[in-house]
Amino acid sequence: MPVTFKINFLASKKLLLALLLTIAGAEAGAQAVDTTLLTQGRYFTEAEGKAALDKFASTYSDRKSWEKRAARIQKGIVEGARLHQLPMNTPLNPIIHSKKTHDGYTVENVAFESFPGFFVTGNLYRPTQKLDSYAAILSPHGHGKDPRFSAYVQERSATLARMGAIVFAYDMVGNGDAQQTSHKHPLALQLQTHNSQRAVDFLLSLPQVDKNRIGVTGESGGGTQTFVLTAIDKRIAVSVPVVMVSAFHFGGCVCESGMPIHKSKDHQTSNVEIAALAAPRPMLLISDGKDWTKNTPEVEYPYIKNVYSLYNKAENVENHHLPTEGHDYGPNKRKAAYFFLAKQLNLALENIINDEGEIDESFVKIAQPEDLQVFNAQHPRPAHAVMGDEAVTKLVASYAKGKKRKK
């Protein structure tokens, strides 16, 4: 009896998910999501994930044949996440306020429109050091309770700013100030990926940002945002996905795998190959021994390095593995990222080195959430912001039905 109940319960869950996705697809003016094409969570066993990579590798033998496969994978992301339905040429209309100056960096509270009526929210960290030009880095976060306000996101963003980069730390949908829709919205993957591309637009709109020095780094769900954005947007020059690139795990949240970006009627891939689309641009994979990146040195990294070797750029991809650590963006992972990003984006590592020659983040002032919030009594959310899952779905539908995406 308990076994029968479990089977029925799981079937009911799948049926409910399929129904929700079907409704969302219909509302979006597009085909309903085919749930048979979704590859979610631990879709493969570890052995199956490795075997899948071996199978994928058999489909190409040189740069030309890899680039043919890479183009299909990229197309699968754009079509699977329905990114072509949302416009890329709408005004950002940025809101920037509450500037605070600290030791070597400033922080401002920021919002801009990803598309009319839908806002990206975050904090902009800038160096106080005056330079002729600045690198710029996107800092997406993983899952948790409003992680943009957490100490670790503030520490890495402020530290990178003191090194000479303009850093934008921004909310996942349904987190922090981004409360126009829930995080479990069936179109979360579409919304977040579009937000990331518009965040690149925002950074490039700032004075003195060097368009050739744009980076991105995030952990867990933010790691997924990192390698998906890098895969589809050539403006990203350097990427550091943290504790996420796995041959057998596809991300357990709808914001990572709730839309069919890994599989279609005529292709299948995994996050390893999506990450490999960064080639030959510099990328650092940061992995650990206590989550689904535990095999990175033996499985994922060699596969991606082989892709880089097709461009004669194997030296551009690195792996920093921490076998005794777990799933986070902790101090040792941040340290590895700082060294790599300093090298690749020409940042001043010496600005964060103490007298003992060690990385020192103690200068960072950890702000309270209320000090980092974009929308509050003094700065209310704009009245034309579309609120609620249903309203956001209908807004996306208005573009899916008649408006074309432009770059």
Side-chain angles (χ1 to χ4, degrees):
M1 186 67 179
V3 174
T4 303
F5 175 78
K6 182 178 180 182
I7 292 173
N8 289 339
F9 175 71
L10 290 174
S12 297
K13 274 187 75 176
K14 288 182 178 179
L15 183 61
L16 179 60
L17 176 61
L19 179 61
L20 288 172
L21 290 171
T22 298
I23 291 171
E27 286 285 350
Q31 269 191 335
V33 171
D34 184 347
T35 57
T36 66
L37 298 179
L38 296 182
T39 55
Q40 298 179 298
R42 297 196 179 214
Y43 182 76
F44 289 137
T45 65
E46 293 178 41
E48 288 169 342
K50 173 64 167 62
L53 289 183
D54 292 340
K55 182 177 180 180
F56 299 155
S58 70
T59 64
Y60 59 90
S61 58
D62 54 20
R63 176 175 170 177
K64 182 178 180 180
S65 54
W66 159 252
E67 289 185 342
K68 180 179 179 181
R69 179 169 178 80
R72 182 64 189 90
I73 295 168
Q74 187 179 66
K75 180 182 178 184
I77 298 169
V78 173
E79 292 182 346
R82 302 175 183 171
L83 295 174
H84 57 287
Q85 294 179 355
L86 294 175
M88 287 290 286
N89 61 337
T90 56
L92 295 170
N93 299 322
I95 299 166
I96 304 176
H97 65 79
S98 304
K99 182 176 181 178
K100 294 179 175 61
T101 300
H102 301 297
D103 185 1
Y105 69 99
T106 65
V107 187
E108 295 163 285
N109 305 348
V110 172
F112 58 84
E113 290 185 86
S114 177
F115 51 97
F118 194 77
F119 288 82
V120 180
T121 53
N123 297 107
L124 190 66
Y125 296 75
R126 306 196 211 208
T128 54
Q129 182 180 6
K130 301 301 181 183
L131 300 171
D132 292 335
S133 66
Y134 298 91
I137 299 173
L138 292 178
S139 181
H141 61 71
H143 291 92
K145 177 61 177 173
D146 299 333
R148 174 166 64 88
F149 305 139
S150 67
Y152 81 92
V153 171
Q154 294 187 54
E155 285 166 338
R156 80 165 181 254
S157 301
T159 301
L160 288 167
R162 191 173 186 183
M163 291 166 64
I166 295 175
V167 182
F168 182 54
Y170 58 110
D171 290 313
M172 285 181 166
V173 296
N175 284 259
D177 288 287
Q179 297 297 325
Q180 292 179 250
T181 187
S182 68
H183 188 65
K184 295 298 184 181
H185 192 294
L187 301 179
L189 177 57
Q190 178 189 34
L191 295 169
Q192 288 190 176
T193 306
H194 182 75
N195 283 355
S196 291
Q197 287 198 277
R198 296 313 314 269
V200 178
D201 293 339
F202 170 67
L203 287 176
L204 289 173
S205 74
L206 300 175
Q208 297 176 282
V209 166
D210 185 345
K211 68 179 182 179
N212 297 313
R213 292 193 292 152
I214 305 296
V216 58
T217 182
E219 83 294 344
S220 193
T224 300
Q225 291 180 76
T226 295
F227 60 71
V228 170
L229 174 64
T230 305
I232 63 171
D233 198 322
K234 297 299 184 185
R235 296 175 298 177
I236 300 298
V238 182
S239 59
V240 182
V242 179
V243 298
M244 198 61 222
V245 178
S246 170
F248 64 91
H249 183 68
F250 287 69
C253 181
V254 291
C255 75
E256 301 171 279
S257 55
M259 300 180 80
I261 65 170
H262 302 98
K263 190 176 181 181
S264 72
K265 298 295 185 183
D266 66 355
H267 94 292
Q268 185 167 359
T269 188
S270 72
N271 285 338
V272 181
E273 288 199 303
I274 292 177
L277 293 185
R281 293 165 289 169
M283 177 171 64
L284 172 65
L285 302 167
I286 299 181
S287 54
D288 66 82
K290 296 182 179 179
D291 67 11
W292 43 80
T293 62
K294 61 184 179 180
N295 301 322
T296 295
E298 293 78 33
V299 177
E300 291 86 358
Y301 174 57
Y303 188 93
I304 295 173
K305 189 172 183 178
N306 181 65
V307 172
Y308 274 72
S309 71
L310 301 177
Y311 294 85
N312 295 316
K313 291 290 185 179
E315 70 279 6
N316 277 5
V317 62
E318 299 179 19
N319 173 219
H320 186 76
H321 189 66
L322 296 159
T324 63
E325 293 198 7
H327 192 73
D328 60 23
Y329 206 154
N332 290 326
K333 298 181 180 74
R334 296 198 298 272
K335 178 180 177 180
Y338 298 153
F339 276 95
F340 188 80
L341 290 167
K343 180 175 75 171
Q344 301 297 342
L345 294 176
N346 192 27
L347 303 178
L349 193 65
E350 63 272 16
N351 289 356
I352 60 167
I353 301 292
N354 63 20
D355 292 340
E356 287 71 45
E358 299 172 342
I359 298 291
D360 186 358
E361 300 174 324
S362 64
F363 66 90
V364 179
K365 180 177 175 57
I366 304 302
Q368 294 302 306
E370 55 267 26
D371 294 325
L372 299 174
Q373 287 174 339
V374 184
F375 300 131
N376 53 32
Q378 291 73 39
H379 303 91
R381 193 185 312 273
H384 68 282
V386 176
M387 300 301 295
D389 286 9
E390 182 179 356
V392 170
T393 301
K394 288 180 178 178
L395 180 60
V396 173
S398 72
Y399 288 100
K401 290 175 181 176
K403 301 181 181 181
K404 299 296 184 182
R405 177 182 170 99
K406 294 181 181 179
K407 282 194 174 182

